[in-house]
Amino acid sequence: MQRQRQKLLPVEYFMVTFTLPAQLRALAWQHQRQVYDLLFRTAADTLKQFGANDKKLDADLGMTGVLHTHSRRLDYHPHIHFVVPGGGINTRRKEWRKLTGHYLFNGKNLAMVFRARLLRALDEQGLLSLSLKTRLPKEWVVNCKRVGKGLPALEYLSRYLYRGVISDNNILASKQGKVTFSYLNSETGKKETRTLPGEDFLWLVLKHVLPRRFRRLRDYGFLHSNAKKQLSLVQLVFTRHGQSSRTRDSSAIQMQALRRSDEAHCVQLPETDLSCHSNKYRHSQTGRRCKLSQTDMTYPRLP
């Protein structure tokens, strides 16, 4: 949670869920590492494609994906939740593109592209038999919904996404060799209970143990660990200009350089200064520490 707080942006957040159809769950169970990796890759590529092709957005998205293998009843049900900030970086124009409105992408369109990408990837890996192809549904499920803005949205998502398979509070009883646990029925919104023999309950939980050293949480785009500088520059833009009319009224925020200026004889700030939002520089002729005035400053430029 603390790691995600450090990447927080003051924008709308969306949760996009990619679900593996029931016909592919047996295949996923037999080839967990391969199928889970393909699930991550194809789902992330689908979101990247939609972000780049959207005429209004036209940006490289940042996102965090979390793999879940269980349903609320603890049945085997592989799916990935992606947390997506409402905006992205247009590298061609060197600007931040802010998403307008409370809508990201159409779930049905995402599902069609995701289906085609995943089936092609499974076929290339030799995992998809002809008989299995004929049994697959034509319509898959991808859910895309808005979850709020800023820290409250992140806290809501953390309670839902980063929890374990089952909490101790949900285990109601363990008597006479049977275990009873509670779960929330997503259709009715009511709590229900399920009772299983102890060995069946243990097997149900063990089904969700991931392959050794498999990463169930992955970052992409400007939220990736290799893009810390880009993320710092985006956060700097929001910090310096979050209350200005330019930020509120424009969906595209220019990210030009805190660049070298012949008039001011200043040098570009080092990355460490940028990350802590410093506006100081050292004069190239006198060597004195100076401050940039508001007129000297423009938006930070992407590397």
Side-chain angles (χ1 to χ4, degrees):
M1 179 61 184
Q2 183 60 33
R3 187 172 68 91
Q4 296 304 319
R5 279 174 178 263
Q6 295 172 355
K7 299 180 179 184
L8 184 66
L9 295 174
V11 298
E12 298 287 346
Y13 276 81
F14 298 85
M15 185 166 68
V16 187
T17 304
F18 293 83
T19 302
L20 204 64
Q23 293 81 354
L24 287 176
R25 291 173 194 167
L27 178 69
W29 172 252
Q30 294 169 1
H31 305 276
Q32 293 182 39
R33 187 177 295 276
Q34 286 177 279
V35 175
Y36 295 163
D37 274 330
L38 292 177
L39 191 58
F40 264 114
R41 192 184 77 193
T42 54
D45 287 347
T46 299
L47 286 171
K48 290 178 184 178
Q49 178 183 339
F50 272 70
N53 292 345
D54 188 279
K55 292 182 180 179
K56 293 183 179 180
L57 194 57
D58 186 20
D60 296 336
L61 300 178
M63 64 197 85
T64 298
V66 183
L67 173 68
H68 283 180
T69 60
H70 56 88
S71 67
R72 296 178 188 270
R73 286 170 47 88
L74 301 190
D75 294 319
Y76 186 64
H77 183 263
H79 56 283
I80 293 182
H81 299 287
F82 278 92
V83 181
V84 186
I89 298 173
N90 184 299
T91 54
R92 185 181 67 258
R93 295 178 60 89
K94 305 293 183 184
E95 64 186 17
W96 169 262
R97 291 289 182 87
K98 180 183 175 183
L99 186 71
T100 57
H102 297 163
Y103 176 81
L104 186 62
F105 304 126
N106 183 281
K108 290 185 177 180
N109 292 341
L110 285 169
M112 287 191 293
V113 176
F114 169 62
R115 180 184 187 276
R117 282 181 174 273
L118 183 58
L119 292 183
R120 182 169 64 248
L122 290 171
D123 204 18
E124 290 172 353
Q125 294 284 332
L127 298 176
L128 204 59
S129 65
L130 182 61
S131 60
L132 183 55
K133 286 182 184 178
T134 59
R135 292 188 285 112
L136 291 175
K138 291 186 177 181
E139 293 186 2
W140 289 18
V141 178
V142 174
N143 181 265
C144 182
K145 68 175 184 178
R146 172 181 169 269
V147 292
K149 186 174 182 179
L151 186 58
L154 193 62
E155 290 176 341
Y156 160 77
L157 289 168
S158 67
R159 292 194 298 269
Y160 179 72
L161 295 179
Y162 307 129
R163 64 189 181 189
V165 175
I166 187 171
S167 70
D168 293 341
N169 293 334
N170 288 340
I171 300 177
L172 304 179
S174 178
K175 298 178 181 179
Q176 299 178 347
K178 293 185 178 182
V179 177
T180 300
F181 64 92
S182 66
Y183 65 93
L184 186 67
N185 188 313
S186 57
E187 294 182 357
T188 64
K190 296 180 179 180
K191 276 199 170 186
E192 298 183 4
T193 60
R194 185 178 183 184
T195 301
L196 295 170
E199 58 272 20
D200 290 346
F201 173 76
L202 288 176
W203 174 237
L204 204 60
V205 174
L206 289 174
K207 275 187 175 182
H208 309 298
V209 177
L210 296 175
R212 182 178 173 82
R213 295 180 180 176
F214 187 87
R215 292 184 298 114
R216 68 184 290 260
L217 189 148
R218 304 183 184 187
D219 295 321
Y220 298 86
F222 60 82
L223 295 180
H224 193 274
S225 58
N226 291 339
K228 290 181 179 179
K229 188 175 181 181
Q230 282 190 343
L231 178 60
S232 295
L233 292 175
V234 173
Q235 291 173 327
L236 179 59
V237 168
F238 282 110
T239 299
R240 291 201 181 280
H241 305 279
Q243 302 302 322
S244 69
S245 59
R246 180 180 299 184
T247 301
R248 290 195 299 268
D249 298 337
S250 175
S251 61
I253 303 176
Q254 292 290 335
M255 302 179 70
Q256 298 173 349
L258 282 168
R259 63 190 187 280
R260 183 164 185 157
S261 169
D262 291 334
E263 294 82 2
H265 299 288
C266 63
V267 296
Q268 185 172 347
L269 295 174
E271 181 181 351
T272 52
D273 284 341
L274 282 176
S275 64
C276 64
H277 304 155
S278 172
N279 64 342
K280 297 180 180 179
Y281 69 95
R282 190 175 295 279
H283 198 285
S284 60
Q285 291 182 351
T286 65
R288 293 180 180 177
R289 294 287 291 179
C290 309
K291 274 192 175 183
L292 286 171
S293 67
Q294 192 65 31
T295 56
D296 292 327
M297 294 175 54
T298 58
Y299 294 98
R301 187 181 185 81
L302 290 174

